[in-house]
DNA sequence: AACCTGACTTCGG
DNA sequence: TCCGAAGCCAGGT
C-alpha cells in the first residue's frame, strides 16, 4: 500500500457526519487530485472493513456513483440518516453539504 | 514489466 | 440530460 492509499483512508475518516466529499476532493487531500479513480478503488477495497464512512464520498455532480442494486440505496439511506437531504432526482446540494477542509477543524 | 479494471472527471456532440 | 472518448492513478493478476 502506498502512502497515498493510507492518506485516502485518513481523509475519508475526517469527513464529518452530515457532510459529503467528492472523490476528487478526497484525492486532493491525499495528495493527488487526479487519483479520484484510485480513491474509488480504495473505498471499494476498504469499505468491507467498516471504519470508513465511505458513504460520504460522492462524485463531482453531487450524486451517488453506485448503481441501484449495487449499493446506491444503502449509501443513500446512510446519508439521509446523517441528515442529508436529497433532491428529487437523487442529487445532493454540494453548496450545502460539501465538506470544507480546514474549516471547522 | 505489461495489461486490465474501477464507486472518477472533463469535454464534445 | 445522455452517451462516448480520453486522461489519470494505483492495485491486482
Amino acid at each position: 500500500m502506498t502512502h497515498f492509499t493510507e492518506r485516502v483512508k485518513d481523509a475519508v475518516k475526517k469527513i464529518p457526519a452530515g457532510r459529503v466529499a467528492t472523490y476528487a476532493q478526497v484525492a486532493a487531500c491525499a495528495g493527488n487530485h487526479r487519483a479520484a479513480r484510485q480513491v474509488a478503488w480504495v473505498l471499494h477495497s476498504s469499505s468491507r472493513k467498516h471504519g470508513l464512512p465511505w458513504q460520504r464520498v460522492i462524485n463531482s455532480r453531487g450524486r451517488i456513483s453506485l448503481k441501484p442494486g449495487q449499493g446506491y440505496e444503502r449509501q443513500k439511506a446512510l446519508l439521509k440518516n446523517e441528515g442529508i437531504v436529497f433532491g428529487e432526482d437523487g442529487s445532493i446540494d454540494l453548496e450545502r453539504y460539501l465538506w470544507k477542509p480546514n474549516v471547522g477543524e
Side-chain angles (χ1 to χ4, degrees):
Chain A
M1 291 307 236
T2 65
H3 175 50
F4 174 75
T5 302
E6 297 303 318
R7 292 266 287 167
V8 170
K9 294 180 187 173
D10 192 56
V12 173
K13 291 178 185 175
K14 291 183 190 172
I15 305 172
R19 291 256 131 131
V20 298
T22 64
Y23 295 93
Q25 184 176 18
V26 174
C29 276
N32 294 304
H33 82 287
R34 301 176 217 154
R37 304 190 63 165
Q38 185 57 17
V39 172
W41 188 92
V42 173
L43 265 46
H44 180 74
S45 167
S46 307
S47 61
R48 309 176 76 183
K49 311 176 179 178
H50 314 298
L52 263 67
W54 59 272
Q55 70 274 23
R56 297 176 195 151
V57 184
I58 60 178
N59 63 32
S60 65
R61 296 180 306 184
R63 292 190 231 144
I64 294 174
S65 291
L66 295 173
K67 298 170 186 173
Q70 303 278 320
Y72 175 86
E73 298 187 357
R74 190 168 12 201
Q75 182 169 14
K76 186 175 181 181
L78 286 169
L79 292 176
K80 290 179 72 174
N81 188 48
E82 295 185 345
I84 291 178
V85 178
F86 287 73
E88 295 183 35
D89 61 342
S91 65
I92 295 174
D93 182 356
L94 292 179
E95 293 299 301
R96 179 178 172 180
Y97 300 108
L98 186 64
W99 172 48
K100 271 79 172 182
N102 311 315
V103 177
E105 187 177 345

